[in-house]
Amino acid sequence: MRPLGRIVLGFLVVLFGLFWQCSPNQNTFTSDIYHNTTAHYNGYFYAKEKIAEIQNTIAKSLDDDPNEILRLFPKLDTTLASSYKKDTEEVIKMASISIQRHPNSRWLDDDYLLVGLARLYSCDYQNAIQTFKYVNTKGTDPDLRHKAIIYLTRTFIEQGDFIRAEEAFHFLEKEKLTRENAKDLYMEKAYFYQQLNDYDNMVRNLANADTLLKARDRKGRIYFIIGQVYQQLGFNSEAYSYYRKCLATNPEYEIDFYARLNMAQVAKLDNKKNLRVIRKQFEKLLADTKNEEFKDKIYYELGEFERKQGHLETAIEEYKRSAHSGKNRRIQGNAFLQIGALYFDSLRRFSLAKAYYDSAIGALPKDIAGYEAISKRQKVLGEFVTYTETIQLQDSLLAMALLDSSVVRKMVDSVFASRVPKDDGKKKKKKRVTSDSDSQSSSFFQTESTSTTDWYFGNLSAVSTGQSEFARIWGNIALEDNWRRSTKSANASTGPAVAASSDAPAAGAVAESGPPANPAEAAFKELYTSLPRTEEDRMKAQGKIEEAYFKLGDLYYFQLEEKDNAESTYETLITRFPQSEYKPEVLYKLYLIHKEKKDPKADVLANQLKVEFPTSTFTRILLNPDYLKETNVAQEKQKMIYRNAYASFQQNNLRGTQEQLKQALAIGETQFTPQLELLQILITGKTEDVTRYQYELGEFMKKYPESKLHAYAEKLLASSRDFIAKTERARGIRFVASFEEPHYFVVVHRIQDRASNDISQALARLNGQFFKAQKLEATNLIFNDEFAMTFVGDLPGKEDAITYLKQFETHLASQKPFSTLNFHNFVITKDNFNIFYRNKALDEYLSFFDRYYKK
């Protein structure tokens, strides 16, 4: 053979040897280098790059609302997953090729992890779980096994299986982890607790992860979340510290902006210097053109800051700027709400409070926390303003009725004159106009109060509210005589369009006298004709004031629960109107108020009631507490007991609550009885089985279908069922294979057949014929919207249950009513019955019954 041929042949032999050594089944040094290098830089590398792209896509899906605690991780869903479906498929393909071609490479476990992640991000949770479990059981690298369990924890959380997620991270807590895995575990645990709204444990785990974080973890965002949680928990010093750490990381602009705002909320302000520093921070934020879209939020937080310093008027101005500086309805609604609360709680200017609460309700979304309480106060304020303005208006009219017409005219002129700005000959500057009546300079526009000394027509907010209410009832009608009449003269009936375009005078008195020379003239005429100048008119005005005081006192007493204000209002009523028809009831309520305070004046009031009104219903109640059973006043006593009972319930003093409820229910049945019974059911929910709780809620809804509490009871029942369903689904519906315990015999039938009574009677006959000694009873129960149940208990054990089942099938199953019905019948232990009923697991239990009983 020629030398060249020998060389070529030798080269081919060597090359063949190398390829043979690189076979997937070889473990030689050369083979290991080949497979490790090829696996890493081909399939694994490209799959890892694709996973990074998917993770970036998921991260961008985060819709952060910095006004709420931010989510640690984006929520995975199938809609989002469909946007990167091709990428996840590519990851699985590339990693699978690497696994198949290089089964002995050291990147095998890494490839499986990438497959598991692709399945997790695709929301293919079951296959993701299997993949991560495989890595944990078959993997050789302990760090990768730990990482697989961390990913497994995330999968369980996304699936809503919190029990198994907790088991997974409890296992890892016992293992020795790398810094990277320890950090990831803390983050997953924090995410777990965030889903459960357990912010205390959430922030503990985030704080533990702090020292392990790296720049790529978006440390600024995590520090911001820790600050938010600490702020919500009331640890302002810790919150301030983490907001500062957030800013030190130079985070993205929106996080930076809100961190600075939140720092102002939690800053400890010990001196004026600190106050100046915070205000300068707000000024810088407002001056920054990049914050133009956030001005409403800045002004709102500035209002919060001033409110906390006790500068209420300044705070109100900042809230107003917030409400008019942006389009965010939630911020706008909260600004209106804060203004309304300040006017109501602190400044006691109720007309203005009502106006701002109305605006808040119009702007706030209904899903905001506390919406029902806000709505309730808004409705209460409507009544409150009605009563206070009635008192103010009628007192003003009565006072002016005693004056000469010229004096009244001067008063009206002075009001209108105060509204016209003086021309001092200099160039006028534009000023910002506000809607509040306190911006007026006239002495008639003073601070609103509930006293009767202010003049009604000098209070613009009161007059405006009255005009709005008039328009709501009567519409926009012309100012003319006989405006209530449906039929008027041809001139008067031409409507607003004709009147606006015509110079013809209005009908009646206005037509005769011609148009007024100025608005003050028209206002004077309208006012003067409404003054109560006759004795009959004065009596009507006094009656309106008397009724308003009484209703205002009740509103303070029952709805706002402000006893001191109720007391002063009631006392004003009986002082101004000593012969009032409300006096007996007012004296009794004052007696209750002072008795609750253990004030000796209670005895004086009780004696006054007995002497002045010996035959009054309230005197009889005072002398004979049993009289409450015969009157509607029983409700008032029940309400008083209920308030104490509910306070005990909130303190988890259930025994004390039950005793108080027994006391209230013993008074007798009133319209308030459903409230007492529902509280009793809430105690059942805490002390007895959930099945009993749900059953009693269902019975309550049947008993009171028209009650206002029906919807609330329905909501409680739905919440209980949802909670149990989620819990059981998380654990899996597992019936207990333990049979030597009491059983029920159950017949499930359709509600539309209306056969409950016939079935229970048939079973009662069977019991009397074959099981008389056991004293068995048949009970009917609604199973769900489609089925009802009739069940018999208690059967001592499995053999007795089987005997009963055979007797039923022999003697009843083929007879009426069963022969005409579609039904299911079976026996079931008490424990399994609870699981069956809670989960409405009819099909699941029938399978269990076939497996364990029919054999």
Side-chain angles (χ1 to χ4, degrees), residues 21 76 82 108 164 179 182 189 197 223 246 282 288 362 368 419 442 469 505 575 586 591 620 645 703 834:
Q21 290 185 45
L76 299 179
S82 64
L108 184 67
R164 288 202 288 175
R179 287 176 59 85
K189 287 172 63 179
N197 295 323
Y223 289 151
C246 168
F282 278 115
D288 192 337
I368 191 173
R419 299 179 187 176
S442 171
E469 185 66 10
T575 300
V586 168
Y591 160 77
R620 293 172 181 172
K703 186 175 180 181
N834 288 335

Side-chain angles (χ1 to χ4, degrees), residues 261 264-265 278-279 282 286 295-323 331 334-335 338-339 342:
L261 278 186
Q265 296 178 20
I278 296 298
R279 288 196 177 97
F282 278 115
L286 288 168
K295 276 193 173 182
D296 53 352
K297 180 64 176 177
I298 299 172
Y299 280 125
Y300 179 84
E301 294 301 336
L302 184 53
E304 288 283 274
F305 171 76
E306 296 295 353
R307 178 180 62 82
K308 291 176 182 177
Q309 310 316 310
H311 306 149
L312 303 187
E313 294 293 348
T314 305
I316 288 172
E317 289 304 314
E318 302 302 342
Y319 287 136
K320 289 177 184 175
R321 291 189 181 102
S322 170
I331 294 176
N334 278 316
Q338 290 289 50
I339 297 173
L342 287 177

